[in-house]
Tab-separated table of all heavy atoms in Angstrom:
chain	number	residue	atom	x	y	z
A	1	GLY	N	0.829	-1.213	-0.004
A	1	GLY	CA	-0.008	0.000	0.002
A	1	GLY	C	0.852	1.260	0.004
A	1	GLY	O	0.531	2.239	-0.668
A	2	VAL	N	1.940	1.229	0.754
A	2	VAL	CA	2.849	2.383	0.787
A	2	VAL	C	3.412	2.633	-0.625
A	2	VAL	O	3.492	3.777	-1.060
A	2	VAL	CB	3.986	2.138	1.804
A	2	VAL	CG1	5.121	3.157	1.643
A	2	VAL	CG2	3.436	2.221	3.235
A	3	ILE	N	3.776	1.570	-1.307
A	3	ILE	CA	4.316	1.723	-2.665
A	3	ILE	C	3.257	2.315	-3.590
A	3	ILE	O	3.535	3.244	-4.357
A	3	ILE	CB	4.838	0.376	-3.206
A	3	ILE	CG1	6.085	-0.040	-2.433
A	3	ILE	CG2	5.125	0.463	-4.711
A	3	ILE	CD1	6.555	-1.454	-2.739
A	4	VAL	N	2.040	1.799	-3.529
A	4	VAL	CA	0.979	2.281	-4.418
A	4	VAL	C	0.662	3.765	-4.128
A	4	VAL	O	0.571	4.572	-5.039
A	4	VAL	CB	-0.297	1.421	-4.294
A	4	VAL	CG1	-1.508	2.062	-4.968
A	4	VAL	CG2	-0.061	0.030	-4.859
A	5	ILE	N	0.553	4.097	-2.843
A	5	ILE	CA	0.262	5.500	-2.475
A	5	ILE	C	1.399	6.416	-2.921
A	5	ILE	O	1.166	7.483	-3.459
A	5	ILE	CB	-0.029	5.613	-0.972
A	5	ILE	CG1	-1.362	4.952	-0.647
A	5	ILE	CG2	-0.020	7.068	-0.514
A	5	ILE	CD1	-1.620	4.767	0.840
A	6	SER	N	2.633	5.976	-2.704
A	6	SER	CA	3.783	6.796	-3.125
A	6	SER	C	3.833	6.943	-4.643
A	6	SER	O	4.138	8.021	-5.152
A	6	SER	CB	5.084	6.190	-2.631
A	6	SER	OG	5.127	6.248	-1.237
A	7	LEU	N	3.537	5.862	-5.335
A	7	LEU	CA	3.509	5.918	-6.800
A	7	LEU	C	2.486	6.944	-7.271
A	7	LEU	O	2.783	7.756	-8.152
A	7	LEU	CB	3.208	4.549	-7.384
A	7	LEU	CG	3.159	4.444	-8.913
A	7	LEU	CD1	4.511	4.793	-9.496
A	7	LEU	CD2	2.738	3.063	-9.328
A	8	LEU	N	1.320	6.924	-6.663
A	8	LEU	CA	0.273	7.879	-7.042
A	8	LEU	C	0.644	9.292	-6.649
A	8	LEU	O	0.526	10.238	-7.455
A	8	LEU	CB	-1.052	7.483	-6.401
A	8	LEU	CG	-1.685	6.192	-6.923
A	8	LEU	CD1	-2.910	5.838	-6.084
A	8	LEU	CD2	-2.040	6.321	-8.392
A	9	TYR	N	1.115	9.483	-5.425
A	9	TYR	CA	1.403	10.853	-4.961
A	9	TYR	C	2.685	11.398	-5.569
A	9	TYR	O	2.673	12.447	-6.224
A	9	TYR	CB	1.465	10.911	-3.431
A	9	TYR	CG	1.554	12.332	-2.954
A	9	TYR	CD1	0.416	13.140	-2.950
A	9	TYR	CD2	2.774	12.905	-2.575
A	9	TYR	CE1	0.511	14.474	-2.571
A	9	TYR	CE2	2.850	14.237	-2.187
A	9	TYR	CZ	1.724	15.005	-2.184
A	9	TYR	OH	1.805	16.322	-1.813
A	10	GLN	N	3.820	10.733	-5.353
A	10	GLN	CA	5.073	11.262	-5.872
A	10	GLN	C	5.068	11.247	-7.396
A	10	GLN	O	5.543	12.181	-8.026
A	10	GLN	CB	6.279	10.459	-5.343
A	10	GLN	CG	6.924	11.025	-4.118
A	10	GLN	CD	6.052	11.006	-2.888
A	10	GLN	OE1	5.487	9.969	-2.547
A	10	GLN	NE2	5.904	12.128	-2.233
A	11	GLY	N	4.502	10.204	-7.994
A	11	GLY	CA	4.406	10.167	-9.461
A	11	GLY	C	3.532	11.298	-9.966
A	11	GLY	O	3.867	11.952	-10.970
A	12	GLY	N	2.415	11.523	-9.293
A	12	GLY	CA	1.540	12.634	-9.688
A	12	GLY	C	2.190	13.984	-9.513
A	12	GLY	O	2.046	14.887	-10.358
A	13	MET	N	2.933	14.148	-8.409
A	13	MET	CA	3.645	15.418	-8.197
A	13	MET	C	4.722	15.638	-9.248
A	13	MET	O	4.924	16.744	-9.738
A	13	MET	CB	4.233	15.471	-6.784
A	13	MET	CG	3.207	15.562	-5.691
A	13	MET	SD	2.073	16.942	-5.849
A	13	MET	CE	3.178	18.320	-5.843
A	14	ALA	N	5.437	14.572	-9.590
A	14	ALA	CA	6.467	14.670	-10.633
A	14	ALA	C	5.837	15.103	-11.953
A	14	ALA	O	6.365	15.994	-12.644
A	14	ALA	CB	7.210	13.362	-10.787
A	15	LEU	N	4.727	14.496	-12.291
A	15	LEU	CA	4.029	14.867	-13.517
A	15	LEU	C	3.538	16.320	-13.444
A	15	LEU	O	3.661	17.069	-14.431
A	15	LEU	CB	2.863	13.916	-13.748
A	15	LEU	CG	2.108	14.040	-15.051
A	15	LEU	CD1	3.033	13.804	-16.249
A	15	LEU	CD2	0.948	13.035	-15.086
A	16	TYR	N	2.995	16.698	-12.320
A	16	TYR	CA	2.519	18.081	-12.124
A	16	TYR	C	3.670	19.079	-12.351
A	16	TYR	O	3.516	20.045	-13.097
A	16	TYR	CB	1.920	18.243	-10.730
A	16	TYR	CG	1.562	19.648	-10.373
A	16	TYR	CD1	0.391	20.219	-10.837
A	16	TYR	CD2	2.391	20.431	-9.582
A	16	TYR	CE1	0.042	21.526	-10.507
A	16	TYR	CE2	2.077	21.743	-9.249
A	16	TYR	CZ	0.892	22.279	-9.722
A	16	TYR	OH	0.567	23.577	-9.406
A	17	PHE	N	4.783	18.865	-11.693
A	17	PHE	CA	5.910	19.800	-11.837
A	17	PHE	C	6.468	19.754	-13.262
A	17	PHE	O	6.826	20.805	-13.809
A	17	PHE	CB	6.999	19.523	-10.808
A	17	PHE	CG	6.614	19.922	-9.413
A	17	PHE	CD1	6.715	19.031	-8.369
A	17	PHE	CD2	6.160	21.204	-9.139
A	17	PHE	CE1	6.360	19.406	-7.080
A	17	PHE	CE2	5.778	21.567	-7.866
A	17	PHE	CZ	5.886	20.677	-6.812
A	18	ARG	N	6.534	18.591	-13.847
A	18	ARG	CA	7.051	18.467	-15.200
A	18	ARG	C	6.197	19.274	-16.168
A	18	ARG	O	6.699	19.870	-17.115
A	18	ARG	CB	7.074	16.986	-15.590
A	18	ARG	CG	7.648	16.694	-16.917
A	18	ARG	CD	9.182	16.690	-16.854
A	18	ARG	NE	9.746	16.144	-18.046
A	18	ARG	CZ	10.175	16.864	-19.077
A	18	ARG	NH1	10.098	18.173	-19.012
A	18	ARG	NH2	10.673	16.313	-20.123
A	19	ARG	N	4.891	19.255	-15.956
A	19	ARG	CA	3.977	20.012	-16.833
A	19	ARG	C	4.041	21.509	-16.625
A	19	ARG	O	3.416	22.261	-17.375
A	19	ARG	CB	2.546	19.505	-16.629
A	19	ARG	CG	2.354	18.127	-17.210
A	19	ARG	CD	0.950	17.667	-17.068
A	19	ARG	NE	0.777	16.383	-17.731
A	19	ARG	CZ	-0.297	15.637	-17.603
A	19	ARG	NH1	-1.322	16.029	-16.841
A	19	ARG	NH2	-0.385	14.474	-18.224
A	20	ARG	N	4.763	21.971	-15.624
A	20	ARG	CA	4.948	23.409	-15.463
A	20	ARG	C	6.026	23.952	-16.377
A	20	ARG	O	6.187	25.130	-16.522
A	20	ARG	CB	5.294	23.738	-13.999
A	20	ARG	CG	4.277	23.341	-12.947
A	20	ARG	CD	2.920	24.069	-12.985
A	20	ARG	NE	1.989	23.653	-13.969
A	20	ARG	CZ	1.092	22.665	-13.881
A	20	ARG	NH1	1.029	21.923	-12.828
A	20	ARG	NH2	0.273	22.397	-14.864
A	21	GLY	N	6.811	23.071	-16.985
A	21	GLY	CA	7.890	23.498	-17.889
A	21	GLY	C	7.416	24.418	-18.998
A	21	GLY	O	7.969	25.514	-19.173
A	22	PRO	N	6.383	24.035	-19.781
A	22	PRO	CA	5.889	24.948	-20.809
A	22	PRO	C	5.316	26.264	-20.258
A	22	PRO	O	5.395	27.299	-20.914
A	22	PRO	CB	4.787	24.130	-21.499
A	22	PRO	CG	5.113	22.712	-21.200
A	22	PRO	CD	5.781	22.715	-19.850
A	23	VAL	N	4.785	26.204	-19.061
A	23	VAL	CA	4.247	27.419	-18.428
A	23	VAL	C	5.399	28.379	-18.114
A	23	VAL	O	5.312	29.593	-18.365
A	23	VAL	CB	3.452	27.072	-17.141
A	23	VAL	CG1	2.973	28.329	-16.460
A	23	VAL	CG2	2.295	26.151	-17.465
A	24	VAL	N	6.527	27.831	-17.597
A	24	VAL	CA	7.689	28.651	-17.350
A	24	VAL	C	8.245	29.241	-18.652
A	24	VAL	O	8.561	30.426	-18.721
A	24	VAL	CB	8.798	27.857	-16.613
A	24	VAL	CG1	10.069	28.685	-16.488
A	24	VAL	CG2	8.330	27.449	-15.229
A	25	ASP	N	8.317	28.406	-19.681
A	25	ASP	CA	8.818	28.885	-20.974
A	25	ASP	C	7.969	30.029	-21.512
A	25	ASP	O	8.515	31.034	-21.974
A	25	ASP	CB	8.826	27.746	-22.006
A	25	ASP	CG	9.865	26.670	-21.707
A	25	ASP	OD1	10.802	26.964	-20.972
A	25	ASP	OD2	9.698	25.546	-22.218
A	26	ARG	N	6.669	29.884	-21.431
A	26	ARG	CA	5.776	30.933	-21.905
A	26	ARG	C	5.940	32.203	-21.053
A	26	ARG	O	5.956	33.313	-21.578
A	26	ARG	CB	4.322	30.450	-21.861
A	26	ARG	CG	3.354	31.463	-22.395
A	26	ARG	CD	1.950	30.912	-22.418
A	26	ARG	NE	1.050	31.926	-22.933
A	26	ARG	CZ	-0.244	31.900	-22.727
A	26	ARG	NH1	-0.813	30.898	-22.073
A	26	ARG	NH2	-1.017	32.871	-23.216
A	27	TYR	N	6.043	32.017	-19.746
A	27	TYR	CA	6.212	33.156	-18.839
A	27	TYR	C	7.487	33.935	-19.183
A	27	TYR	O	7.458	35.161	-19.300
A	27	TYR	CB	6.253	32.620	-17.410
A	27	TYR	CG	6.392	33.645	-16.316
A	27	TYR	CD1	5.372	34.577	-16.092
A	27	TYR	CD2	7.475	33.671	-15.486
A	27	TYR	CE1	5.473	35.506	-15.076
A	27	TYR	CE2	7.594	34.582	-14.451
A	27	TYR	CZ	6.593	35.502	-14.246
A	27	TYR	OH	6.693	36.427	-13.246
A	28	VAL	N	8.562	33.240	-19.393
A	28	VAL	CA	9.843	33.879	-19.706
A	28	VAL	C	9.781	34.548	-21.082
A	28	VAL	O	10.302	35.642	-21.278
A	28	VAL	CB	10.996	32.866	-19.624
A	28	VAL	CG1	12.294	33.432	-20.177
A	28	VAL	CG2	11.196	32.425	-18.182
A	29	ARG	N	9.123	33.880	-22.019
A	29	ARG	CA	9.030	34.397	-23.391
A	29	ARG	C	8.140	35.626	-23.511
A	29	ARG	O	8.456	36.571	-24.240
A	29	ARG	CB	8.519	33.277	-24.305
A	29	ARG	CG	8.615	33.543	-25.772
A	29	ARG	CD	8.174	32.330	-26.622
A	29	ARG	NE	6.805	31.912	-26.341
A	29	ARG	CZ	6.450	30.781	-25.710
A	29	ARG	NH1	7.380	29.953	-25.291
A	29	ARG	NH2	5.191	30.481	-25.497
A	30	GLU	N	7.027	35.672	-22.763
A	30	GLU	CA	6.029	36.727	-22.940
A	30	GLU	C	6.075	37.844	-21.910
A	30	GLU	O	5.443	38.867	-22.121
A	30	GLU	CB	4.620	36.115	-22.943
A	30	GLU	CG	4.370	35.183	-24.114
A	30	GLU	CD	2.965	34.642	-24.149
A	30	GLU	OE1	2.059	35.214	-23.474
A	30	GLU	OE2	2.746	33.626	-24.829
A	31	VAL	N	6.828	37.647	-20.833
A	31	VAL	CA	6.838	38.668	-19.778
A	31	VAL	C	8.239	39.289	-19.727
A	31	VAL	O	9.224	38.563	-19.596
A	31	VAL	CB	6.476	38.047	-18.407
A	31	VAL	CG1	6.637	39.058	-17.288
A	31	VAL	CG2	5.059	37.511	-18.447
A	32	PRO	N	8.317	40.597	-19.829
A	32	PRO	CA	9.619	41.266	-19.759
A	32	PRO	C	10.301	41.000	-18.396
A	32	PRO	O	9.633	40.804	-17.376
A	32	PRO	CB	9.313	42.744	-19.903
A	32	PRO	CG	7.908	42.860	-20.311
A	32	PRO	CD	7.232	41.575	-20.005
A	33	GLU	N	11.596	40.997	-18.416
A	33	GLU	CA	12.355	40.696	-17.210
A	33	GLU	C	12.032	41.668	-16.077
A	33	GLU	O	11.916	41.263	-14.925
A	33	GLU	CB	13.868	40.706	-17.485
A	33	GLU	CG	14.678	40.252	-16.329
A	33	GLU	CD	16.163	40.131	-16.648
A	33	GLU	OE1	16.522	40.086	-17.806
A	33	GLU	OE2	16.934	40.099	-15.685
């Protein structure tokens, strides 16, 4: 159960942070320093 919960939580968090990459790119590209 610990493995399954960790897979869901840490895996989900990794995916969430990974998907912020394009958001950061857009932010840097469209917003002046």
Side-chain angles (χ1 to χ4, degrees):
V2 166
I3 291 171
V4 169
I5 290 169
S6 294
L7 180 62
L8 292 173
Y9 188 77
Q10 265 65 52
M13 291 305 300
L15 186 60
Y16 173 80
F17 287 127
R18 183 81 168 96
R19 289 183 175 169
R20 300 294 78 86
V23 177
V24 173
D25 291 339
R26 183 176 180 200
Y27 182 64
V28 170
R29 191 176 58 250
E30 294 183 19
V31 175
E33 186 174 343

